Amino acid sequence: DYVARGPRLDTVHDLAAHTLIGMAPPFDNGPEAQWLARHGVTRYGVRCNTISLALAVAASGAGIAVLPHNLAATEPRLRRVVRDARFQARDIWLVAHREVRNRAPIRATLAFLVDDFRRNAAMFAGDA
């Protein structure tokens, strides 16, 4: 709803005229914020301390947020507005305490997660 009633949004530079939803400190200097700043976006209408909150605020129609594709794709009220934006990949670490890492339930959980990340790699990359 926000995009339909907001200012023109034809190019990435038009983002500066929009209400942006960003992260609050200490999460406010990530690659996404740096990318927005390079494109003239330095003001935020809303700052959130979790990605899930930023997603909920954007879905409510309060503005535009840079969100992980795999999360944004789960919310039907959102639509992608800057298709060519690409950000540095981030590592995902799966860890287990050495005392339990060889237990069958832990191994099964880790194997499931690795398989799920591989199966859904395109979605995590924003290609799906």
Side-chain angles (χ1 to χ4, degrees):
D1 293 342
Y2 172 83
V3 173
R5 69 179 194 279
R8 189 178 114 190
L9 184 56
D10 296 326
T11 71
V12 67
H13 300 289
D14 293 335
L15 285 171
H18 284 267
T19 300
L20 270 287
I21 301 161
M23 298 304 294
F27 310 109
D28 61 340
N29 197 29
E32 298 83 2
Q34 293 173 21
W35 181 85
L36 287 167
R38 283 194 305 275
H39 290 90
V41 177
T42 56
R43 290 178 332 167
Y44 293 88
V46 179
R47 295 231 183 221
C48 302
N49 59 0
T50 67
I51 293 291
S52 58
L53 180 57
L55 180 125
V57 172
S60 77
I64 295 174
V66 178
L67 299 166
H69 186 265
N70 62 304
L71 294 179
T74 67
E75 175 50 71
R77 294 176 292 172
L78 296 180
R79 78 175 176 105
R80 200 172 193 175
V81 294
V82 180
R83 296 197 170 273
D84 58 348
R86 292 283 183 241
F87 302 100
Q88 176 183 350
R90 294 184 182 189
D91 293 334
I92 296 174
W93 289 65
L94 295 175
V95 297
H97 195 279
R98 83 180 87 159
E99 293 177 9
V100 298
R101 69 179 173 211
N102 291 320
R103 292 184 183 167
I106 302 300
R107 284 195 328 266
T109 301
L110 294 174
F112 169 81
L113 291 170
V114 167
D115 182 55
D116 188 60
F117 285 127
R118 285 184 179 142
R119 223 180 24 257
N120 294 296
M123 181 180 57
F124 282 103
D127 298 330

